[in-house]
Amino acid sequence: MNKTYFIGVDIGTQGARVALLDEAGKLISAHDQAFALTENSREEQSPQEWWEITSLLMEAVLNEARPSIDLSLVKAIAVTSTSGTIIPIDKDGHPLHAALMYSDQRSGEEAARCKAAAEENRIPGYRAFNTSSGLPKMLWFLDHFPEQAEKLSKFIHASDFITGRLCGEYAVTDYTNALKSGFDLHHLTWPEYLSGLGIRKEWLQEVKPSGTPIAPLRKDLAEKWGLPANVTVTTGMTDGCVSQVASGAVQPGQWNTTIGTTLVIKGVTRNEIRDETGAIYNHRHPEGYWMPGGASNTGADWVTKLFGNRDLAALNAKAAELIPTGLTAWPLLQKGERFPFFAPQAAGFWNEDWKEEELFAACMEGVAYVERYAYERIRELSGERVDRVFSAGGGSNSDVWLSIRSTVLQVPVQKMKNTSGAAGAAVLAASGTYYASLSEAAEAMIRPEKVVEPVPSMISNYEWGYCNFIVELKKRNIL
């Protein structure tokens, strides 16, 4: 039986990746390449370099796949990239400035203006504008380059630039990219207060659900790469949301925890979660659900910084014999926490006299306690159940840590196979062109590598450990 194939493109902060999957989620080929980073790459990057590298990776992936599959059966392409990165373009799609990266801190004054305007106008939804948001970067560009205003055709996002290069259409974006650019996800419109900030409506894109078909692949690219003329390019999705897709957490009650440098939790609810602290914010699901989530300053950075030159396999083996440890630690390595609670004064803690295997195990437990607090807060605010947790990121590579987390959370934790952003983008491409929905595409294309269940004999000890952790946070005036 002939298969159908989908391509996902991921433009990250440090490099790009392209992946080719079939309709069952099997990875056929994937290639990646790093960008030539400079000292100011956290502020500005070249969109043209992204495109040149993407083109090379497309050729590499398709050339590798050509002997084993029929490229005429490639059906769709979708792109993911960082949220909050903005590119001003002219009417021909040429950048008027380098990409203003989400990590660019120069728009602090503009962010304060955006936040004040959103709150003054009582905008439902996202108001917590900061320097990582897209809207302040638009204002920063206009403030610093007013002479470019008459040349400006659109403000677009990072994934939109590659999408535009693929199909020639730059005037369309998706719900997830538009959120931090000020789009009202409740009324599905650009709000009036943006004009008061100096943002003209003609500079803003049409906004559609992620995975919506936009246009066919450019004819010259189809011929160059040996692809059919009817390959469809769809709207994209931000990197955090597409990682959630790749994990399989796409239906109500399903949640994904990614433990990398930080801990990021995203899930699906039927109703919007309203959090007045701003720690939790909501994206819009292509099927009309909500995709709430938040990012903690707690994560797995402590593994490298505290145990970087140690034998991690040996430490995991020793930790397996110690858990539950009965120790209380919080491996927060920077000052301040933003999720699941806002505490700018917070500082991590542990006992310097512990043996290194005790510290290693206690830190894994501490992160699990933060994760549990997050899910308890989510349940409280949403009134909805958390049925299961999918797991991604480097923290998922430790079976001991997966077991700790499952037992602390008292739900199964599933580690998935293809959790790259490019794989998630390929699933997104399939959702609007081959399957009836994102839920259907995920069900068909995403498979668990392993499922870890709570350990019954450890549950009571971890209940005690979690309570002690909360007490310690209260003692330190963090909660």
Side-chain angles (χ1 to χ4, degrees):
M1 185 178 74
N2 289 333
K3 293 183 178 293
T4 306
Y5 303 93
F6 306 91
I7 297 173
V9 179
D10 180 11
I11 305 298
T13 305
Q14 300 184 53
R17 182 178 178 85
V18 173
L20 175 67
L21 277 64
D22 69 15
E23 82 272 11
K26 179 182 178 182
L27 181 64
I28 307 301
S29 177
H31 285 266
D32 54 68
Q33 183 174 324
F35 299 142
L37 300 177
T38 65
E39 289 185 0
N40 73 334
S41 289
R42 290 188 64 80
E43 294 181 348
E44 299 180 2
Q45 291 188 20
S46 166
Q48 185 59 30
E49 181 189 1
W50 300 344
W51 171 242
E52 290 169 358
I53 289 176
T54 299
S55 299
L56 293 173
L57 293 175
M58 288 287 290
E59 291 183 11
V61 165
L62 295 171
N63 287 340
E64 182 176 73
R66 186 170 283 108
S68 59
I69 73 166
D70 182 354
L71 292 183
S72 70
L73 299 175
V74 173
K75 189 170 184 65
I77 305 173
V79 184
T80 182
S81 191
T82 53
S83 170
T85 297
I86 292 293
I87 307 160
I89 62 169
D90 66 16
K91 62 182 178 59
D92 297 315
H94 300 311
L96 296 173
H97 192 278
L100 299 170
M101 300 298 291
Y102 72 96
S103 48
D104 181 357
Q105 299 291 306
R106 294 175 293 179
S107 57
E109 186 274 330
E110 289 83 1
R113 284 161 52 196
C114 294
K115 184 175 181 180
E119 291 180 344
E120 181 181 346
N121 286 272
R122 300 187 178 184
I123 297 302
Y126 190 76
R127 305 180 195 175
F129 293 104
N130 54 47
T131 56
S132 68
S133 304
L135 183 59
K137 291 175 173 54
M138 298 180 192
L139 295 190
W140 184 91
F141 175 76
L142 294 171
D143 287 346
H144 288 79
F145 302 95
E147 72 282 1
Q148 297 277 36
E150 295 312 311
K151 299 178 186 177
L152 179 61
S153 174
K154 291 286 186 242
F155 282 114
I156 67 172
H157 309 89
S159 60
D160 302 328
F161 181 80
I162 301 301
T163 297
R165 284 291 191 264
L166 288 167
C167 70
E169 178 59 78
Y170 296 91
V172 178
T173 192
D174 69 280
Y175 291 164
T176 65
N177 272 298
L179 172 70
K180 295 184 181 179
S181 291
F183 189 71
D184 182 347
L185 289 175
H186 293 77
H187 301 100
L188 302 181
T189 186
W190 293 103
E192 291 298 324
Y193 82 89
L194 297 181
S195 61
L197 291 170
I199 303 294
R200 300 179 194 170
K201 282 200 171 182
E202 62 262 30
W203 291 339
L204 300 170
Q205 297 166 285
E206 182 181 359
V207 185
K208 297 184 178 183
S210 296
T212 301
I214 301 177
L217 181 66
R218 280 170 32 199
K219 184 178 179 181
D220 60 317
L221 294 177
E223 292 174 352
K224 176 183 177 182
W225 293 334
L227 292 174
N230 62 349
V231 172
T232 299
V233 180
T234 75
T235 50
M237 183 176 268
T238 60
D239 53 355
C241 290
V242 92
S243 293
Q244 176 183 340
V245 170
S247 78
V250 298
Q251 296 185 53
Q254 297 178 346
W255 290 80
N256 171 57
T257 301
T258 298
I259 303 181
T261 302
T262 59
L263 181 151
V264 179
I265 288 178
K266 291 182 179 292
V268 182
T269 54
R270 297 186 184 280
N271 301 303
E272 179 190 16
I273 290 182
R274 296 184 180 273
D275 179 12
E276 293 302 320
T277 71
I280 300 173
Y281 59 89
N282 298 265
H283 282 288
R284 194 73 183 261
H285 193 287
E287 296 168 46
Y289 303 127
W290 292 92
M291 298 170 70
S296 170
N297 290 336
T298 308
D301 55 343
W302 59 270
V303 177
T304 301
K305 293 180 180 178
L306 300 181
F307 301 96
N309 60 351
R310 306 295 199 280
D311 183 343
L312 295 183
L315 280 172
N316 266 285
K318 291 179 180 178
E321 298 175 359
L322 293 173
I323 60 172
T325 65
L327 305 173
T328 305
W330 184 20
L332 176 68
L333 299 188
Q334 66 182 79
K335 185 177 180 180
E337 182 57 286
R338 53 185 169 150
F339 173 78
F341 46 81
F342 183 69
Q345 80 286 4
F349 52 81
W350 58 83
N351 192 321
E352 298 286 352
D353 295 330
W354 291 340
K355 297 176 182 178
E356 68 172 12
E357 59 267 28
E358 291 176 326
L359 176 60
F360 188 81
C363 285
M364 287 194 287
E365 292 172 335
V367 175
Y369 295 148
V370 170
E371 184 181 10
R372 171 163 167 175
Y373 186 89
Y375 281 120
E376 287 188 350
R377 182 161 174 72
I378 286 164
R379 278 192 290 260
E380 177 186 352
L381 291 172
S382 69
E384 299 181 30
R385 293 173 51 189
V386 175
D387 294 326
R388 48 181 170 163
V389 172
F390 299 85
S391 190
S396 298
N397 295 329
S398 167
D399 287 350
V400 179
W401 205 351
L402 289 172
S403 181
I404 291 170
R405 291 170 52 210
S406 176
T407 307
V408 169
L409 297 175
Q410 296 184 38
V411 296
V413 174
Q414 297 185 201
K415 180 184 177 183
M416 313 308 282
K417 286 184 178 179
N418 295 326
T419 57
S420 73
V427 174
L428 184 66
S431 72
T433 60
Y434 184 79
Y435 292 103
S437 65
L438 181 60
S439 296
E440 186 176 308
E443 184 72 24
M445 298 178 71
I446 299 171
R447 295 284 181 272
E449 179 179 313
K450 63 179 66 175
V451 179
V452 178
E453 300 281 349
V455 180
S457 62
M458 295 185 182
I459 288 176
S460 61
N461 284 334
Y462 274 131
E463 282 293 300
W464 178 86
Y466 175 67
C467 290
N468 271 6
F469 180 76
I470 298 301
V471 167
E472 188 65 32
L473 292 181
K474 290 180 177 178
K475 281 183 181 177
R476 295 170 181 263
N477 294 317
I478 294 168
L479 284 179

